[in-house]
Amino acid sequence: MIPASFEYLAPKSLKEAVDFISSHSEDVKLLAGGQSLVPLMKLRLAKPRYIVDLGGIPDLNYIRDEGDRIAIGSLTTHTQIEESELLKKRCPLLPQTATTIGDVQVRNQGTIGGSLAHADPAGDMPAAILALGADIKAIGPNGERWIKAQDFFLGLLTSALEPDEILTEVRVPVLEKTKSAYLKAAQRASGFAVVGIAVCLTLHQDGTCEDIAIGVTGVGDKAYRAEGVENMLRGKRLEEKLLEEASVEIVNGQDVIEDINGSKQYRSHLARVYTVRAIQSALKA
Ligand SMILES: Cc1cc2nc3c(=O)[nH]c(=O)nc-3n(C[C@H](O)[C@H](O)[C@H](O)COP(=O)(O)OP(=O)(O)OC[C@H]3O[C@@H](n4cnc5c(N)ncnc54)[C@H](O)[C@@H]3O)c2cc1C
């Protein structure tokens, strides 16, 4: 299908982009990799009057070592994350997650900023970003602000970004002693998560769980942290029986999605199974 007509703008600076969207925010869509926006436009589910292409703005594509954090520009593609030696060494959860996204064409075009801003309830990056406790930088007409990953996803395709804000950077921690894993049951055609579980955990010297963070995608209308499961595991030895008991909490408080990929019951079961497997996989990392 062919999208409705629109005007295309290619700003050369962040200021130019922010100035434009702050005076036209109701009618504008930002374009990053186009992997989510363009299909929506082709189906005419999105009919923006203006498209503001972020591609010509310098300094939005980088992966930088900032000591105990790694800074990632919003236009960094899934492929760049997948192939980054810095991330593979110091924050392997992100490259591992990127590897599971769609296919090679999608990963070559799709960006981390677009994936987070789009807030797809089945997107992979939101789960990883939640487990990592990342910080997200937004720039708007009133300057910049930082949003915690846990406050970022508000609902179906809805993030904490204001309509006149641009996501410019994501900061993730360096995982020195942290073990991590991302596991998903993928929808066969698109690769999107029917259920995806991201885990970061640290162990005490005696082998008990010092801390654990679990990001979940595919289950509800937005990605979320599984605090009920986390609370049951802190301070304990992560043995299979305990993991199975705790995993029952994974969908607690969620209105579990029911669609062509699975009933509520099937998805809840998958979420429990993948929680146990993802934690066991992190323990082996
Ligand atoms: C066939 C196919 C398979 C896919 N499979 C998967 C999968 O398995 N897992 C997965 O997670 N994803 C999957 N995707 C989606 C993919 O990850 C996209 O890259 C991602 O959802 C959007 O990133 P983008 O850069 O393409 O954003 P765009 O499509 O350009 O933009 C998406 C939305 O975010 C907004 N936006 C973009 N950048 C910014 C910014 N910097 N600041 C503020 N707003 C912004 C846009 O205005 C738009 O509303 C798939 C896509 C396709 C087409």
Side-chain angles (χ1 to χ4, degrees), residues 69 128-136 147-150 170-173:
R69 312 287 279 178
I129 288 300
L130 282 166
L132 286 165
D135 295 306
I136 294 158
I147 308 164
K148 295 203 168 307
Q150 210 159 338
V170 181
R171 282 193 177 212
V172 293

Side-chain angles (χ1 to χ4, degrees), residues 4-285:
S5 60
F6 57 86
E7 259 183 68
Y8 172 86
L9 291 102
K12 292 279 170 269
S13 71
L14 263 178
K15 185 178 179 322
E16 199 187 322
V18 168
D19 284 350
F20 185 82
I21 62 171
S22 54
S23 50
H24 298 81
S25 58
E26 299 304 309
D27 297 323
V28 177
K29 278 283 178 196
L30 300 172
L31 177 71
Q35 298 301 293
S36 295
L37 180 60
V38 173
L40 286 178
M41 288 173 66
K42 283 182 164 181
L43 291 168
R44 302 211 175 192
L45 294 171
K47 288 190 255 178
R49 186 157 164 216
Y50 303 103
I51 288 289
V52 173
D53 188 349
L54 300 176
I57 300 176
D59 278 342
L60 287 179
N61 186 334
Y62 53 84
I63 302 174
R64 284 186 202 132
D65 192 341
E66 305 263 346
D68 62 348
R69 312 287 279 178
I70 297 170
I72 305 169
S74 65
L75 285 190
T76 307
T77 64
H78 303 312
T79 298
Q80 287 171 314
I81 289 172
E82 191 181 347
E83 293 178 349
S84 161
E85 290 305 323
L86 175 64
L87 286 170
K88 280 194 239 176
K89 205 166 139 211
R90 308 196 76 201
C91 186
L93 181 63
L94 269 197
Q96 194 210 337
T97 304
T99 314
T100 73
I101 294 175
D103 52 37
V104 100
Q105 290 91 334
V106 170
R107 297 197 292 275
N108 281 343
Q109 292 294 324
T111 67
I112 186 162
S115 283
L116 300 180
H118 191 55
D120 193 306
D124 297 298
M125 280 300 175
I129 288 300
L130 282 166
L132 286 165
D135 295 306
I136 294 158
K137 183 162 137 187
I139 292 194
N142 301 319
E144 69 174 55
R145 68 179 177 122
W146 287 91
I147 308 164
K148 295 203 168 307
Q150 210 159 338
D151 301 326
F152 190 77
F153 304 104
L154 300 185
L156 184 72
L157 304 182
T158 310
S159 78
L161 289 172
E162 295 296 337
D164 55 3
E165 285 184 317
I166 300 176
L167 191 165
T168 56
E169 186 176 290
V170 181
R171 282 193 177 212
V172 293
V174 168
L175 305 182
E176 289 291 5
K177 292 185 199 149
T178 306
K179 295 167 171 288
S180 64
Y182 179 66
L183 236 62
K184 77 169 162 180
Q187 205 265 349
R188 284 204 176 185
S190 68
F192 271 107
V194 178
V195 162
I197 309 281
V199 176
C200 286
L201 65 89
T202 45
L203 296 177
H204 284 295
Q205 269 185 344
D206 65 4
T208 57
C209 173
E210 182 180 341
D211 202 6
I212 183 162
I214 303 172
V216 185
T217 190
V219 169
D221 68 348
K222 60 174 182 172
Y224 62 94
R225 274 275 294 270
E227 287 172 5
V229 183
E230 296 169 8
N231 291 337
M232 282 180 73
L233 299 178
R234 280 194 199 97
K236 311 264 177 53
R237 207 167 280 283
L238 302 179
E239 282 161 1
E240 189 162 351
K241 187 164 177 298
L242 174 67
L243 297 184
E244 276 169 9
E245 279 166 23
S247 70
V248 174
E249 291 289 313
I250 196 76
V251 298
N252 202 358
Q254 298 298 317
D255 187 6
V256 179
I257 298 172
E258 181 153 76
D259 60 16
I260 52 164
N261 298 311
S263 64
K264 275 182 202 271
Q265 202 185 10
Y266 174 68
R267 233 189 200 94
S268 304
H269 174 72
L270 262 189
R272 288 197 287 274
V273 171
Y274 273 77
T275 301
V276 175
R277 287 187 193 168
I279 296 170
Q280 288 176 331
S281 172
L283 284 169
K284 286 186 204 137

